[in-house]
Amino acid sequence: MSSRTRTRGVKTAAGVHTIHIPRQRGRRRAQPFVVVVPEQPSLTREALGFLGWVLWRFRGALAPTFLAVLAWPLAWILHALAWWSGLLIAPLAVAPVLWLGFVQIRRPARTAAVVWRAGLALLATAGFAWLALAAGFGPLAGPLPLIWLLAWLVAQTAWLIVRRSR
């Protein structure tokens, strides 16, 4: 550590770091700056750190929640910049149904797998339809917040069930 930043003879409380910045040339009568940084973080910092740790710890289990929360600003940006982007996203709502038909033809399955595939296709269709409508009319228009909430609840619940059954 250089002698310019090392404190000399300054008494401070335990757990407090001080950095003494010497006087600048040309300012002989000016007092030096002393920056005191407490070692203990604030309660807000502790709470945000704990929340971040919980979200990181359970990031795999909360994947549908992260996607659902990410859909809101995406829809707002698309709606604000180009309302017609909903017309471009609308064909994506048909893609999961086409996928379901293709998979059933290529790899026929029994009842449980068909139910899960159909549920996944229905949920993806609802998600793309919501995104298209939210981009076109705004995420808070009409029943779109309720549709978003229901789709998020179903997706998160199904995700947790599938993760537990593995």
Side-chain angles (χ1 to χ4, degrees), residues 55-115:
L55 290 175
W56 182 256
R57 171 86 167 84
F58 297 106
R59 67 188 181 275
L62 295 174
T65 300
F66 292 140
L67 289 175
V69 169
L70 184 67
W72 278 87
L74 177 65
W76 274 115
I77 290 169
L78 288 174
H79 176 68
L81 294 179
W83 64 267
W84 46 265
S85 62
L87 298 173
L88 299 176
I89 298 170
L92 287 176
V94 180
V97 176
L98 295 175
W99 169 82
L100 178 64
F102 179 74
V103 168
Q104 276 304 110
I105 290 171
R106 297 278 289 170
R107 293 193 174 165
R110 301 223 182 248
T111 50
V114 172
V115 169

Side-chain angles (χ1 to χ4, degrees), residues 4 6 10 19 27 40-41 53 58 61 64 68 75 77-78 90 93 104 106 118 129 142 153 156:
R4 295 184 141 260
R6 187 173 53 234
V10 177
I19 299 173
R27 297 183 178 188
Q40 193 172 24
W53 176 80
F58 297 106
I77 290 169
L78 288 174
Q104 276 304 110
R106 297 278 289 170
L153 283 173
Q156 185 65 52

